[in-house]
Structures are given as C-alpha cells and as structure tokens.
C-alpha cells in the first residue's frame, strides 16, 4: 500500500497539441511551396528515461481526408525522443505546399507510441488549437454606380469588395490592391 511505489503505478499518458505556421506562430498559413507547420505536442504521464515516438498526420477539416503532397503522399511527421520528465513537450514539423491547399482548414492528428504500441491519441477534428487555415481572398471591383462600367474621360472611384476566409481572429491584416488595365 505504498502510493509512491513505481512498481505499483500504472500511467495513462495524455497528449494535446497546438499547430501553427512556423514563420508567424499563427493559425494562418503563409503562402509558399515549402511552408513549415509546427505542432507542439504536450504530453503527460510518461515514464522518464523511456523512449517514445510521436507520429502526426495532417487532415482536411472539411472532408476528414489526409492532406497529400504533390506526389500523392500523405503529409506526415514523426519524432522519437527520450522523456526527461513525466510531463513535457516535443515538436513535430510538417512541410506543405500551401498552393495545393486553397481555402483549406488543416488539422493535425497525433499518436504517441511506446515500444510499438499506441498509448495516446489526439485526433479531434474540431480542436481549434490543432487547426490552421489557408487564407482565401475573393474580390469584386465596381465603379461608383455599382456596375463594372466606368467612364474613361473623368476621374472615377473604384470600390473593391474583399471577402476573406481562414484568417486568425484577433490578428491585424493589411489588404492592398493595384488597378490594372485589361
């Protein structure tokens, strides 16, 4: 009846995560062919000094399908580590081509394993902490009369209505535009 006897103790590991764009630390992905997403995995209840493996996969929030790269491979990441303490963090980096993911919301799912057996899974499709968004902008320019026709022989005002999706709430963004002749 020794509450501190490790030989009588069974641990039930737990994990939780936060996925962000490595460049900005936000839940909004920057554009690029090699965008790096970092998933910081918090673990609890591990046995110090033992080796564990965290495996992660990126999933499309809308469909539940795994995100694939340009060659059709699932975007995954894994790291094997020795737990220095029972509770701590470890990071996984995923590299994605964000141009292949227009207007997607991406969720990271993780599995913690010990000696080849899964001991904890974190796969909550609705967890906003483990979700990042690929921004989308849609614009519609009109003249002062609300039409697509303007007079070329006088100064006119053009209004561009911008709709956006998948930005991180609470962050400040700047929208700028350039008029071009067609």
């Amino acid at each position: 009846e020794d509450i501190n006897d490790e030989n009588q103790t069974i641990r039930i590991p737990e994990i939780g995560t936060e996925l962000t764009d490595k460049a900005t630390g936000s839940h909004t992905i920057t554009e690029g062919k090699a965008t790096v997403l970092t998933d910081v995995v918090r673990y609890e209840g591990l046995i110090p000094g033992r080796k564990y493996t965290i495996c992660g996969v990126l999933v499309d929030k809308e469909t539940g399908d795994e995100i694939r790269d340009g060659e059709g491979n699932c975007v995954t990441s894994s790291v094997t580590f020795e737990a220095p303490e029972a509770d701590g963090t470890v990071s996984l980096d995923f590299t994605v081509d964000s141009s292949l993911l227009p207007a997607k919301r991406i969720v990271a799912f993780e599995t913690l394993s010990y000696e080849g057996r899964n001991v904890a899974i974190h796969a909550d499709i609705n967890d906003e902490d483990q979700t990042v968004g690929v921004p989308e902008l849609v614009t519609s320019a009109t003249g002062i009369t609300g039409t697509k026709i303007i007079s070329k022989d006088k100064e006119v005002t053009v209004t561009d209505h911008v709709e956006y999706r998948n930005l991180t709430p609470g962050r400040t963004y700047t929208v700028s535009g350039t008029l071009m002749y067609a």
Side-chain angles (χ1 to χ4, degrees):
E1 295 182 17
D2 182 358
I3 193 92
N4 296 315
D5 186 348
E6 281 296 318
N7 290 327
Q8 294 175 239
T9 303
I10 295 177
R11 297 175 186 259
I12 302 172
E14 291 185 28
I15 57 175
T17 73
E18 183 169 13
L19 181 68
T20 58
D21 183 294
K22 188 171 190 168
T24 65
S26 77
H27 291 274
T28 304
I29 293 179
T30 54
E31 187 176 353
K33 295 252 183 227
T35 301
V36 178
L37 304 178
T38 297
D39 195 19
V40 177
V41 181
R42 296 171 312 283
Y43 58 83
E44 296 176 3
L46 303 188
I47 301 171
R50 301 281 174 95
K51 285 191 178 181
Y52 294 86
T53 300
I54 296 262
C55 295
V57 63
L58 298 180
V59 176
D60 181 322
K61 182 175 177 128
E62 184 178 321
T63 65
D65 295 335
E66 293 176 345
I67 299 294
R68 299 194 176 270
D69 63 18
E71 284 102 43
N73 301 310
C74 293
V75 179
T76 62
S77 181
S78 66
V79 63
T80 299
F81 66 100
E82 185 175 301
E85 303 287 331
D87 304 337
T89 62
V90 64
S91 295
L92 296 175
D93 283 341
F94 299 88
T95 302
V96 295
D97 180 348
S98 61
S99 69
L100 299 175
L101 308 168
K104 297 266 187 211
R105 297 212 11 103
I106 299 168
V107 182
F109 287 178
E110 304 78 13
T111 303
L112 173 69
S113 62
Y114 173 70
E115 294 185 346
R117 291 188 281 302
N118 294 344
V119 294
I121 296 173
H122 193 256
D124 182 354
I125 197 92
N126 295 312
D127 185 342
E128 287 300 313
D129 281 341
Q130 68 186 87
T131 303
V132 295
V134 180
E136 176 184 47
L137 297 177
V138 177
T139 67
S140 178
T142 58
I144 198 160
T145 62
T147 68
K148 299 284 185 184
I149 300 171
I150 59 173
S151 173
K152 72 175 189 171
D153 51 325
K154 65 179 182 174
E155 189 173 301
V156 296
T157 299
V158 175
T159 302
D160 196 12
H161 178 76
V162 179
E163 292 181 44
Y164 58 86
R165 289 180 34 183
N166 298 330
L167 298 183
T168 303
R171 292 246 177 192
T172 301
Y173 296 90
T174 302
V175 176
S176 61
T178 302
L179 288 177
M180 307 291 288
Y181 288 103

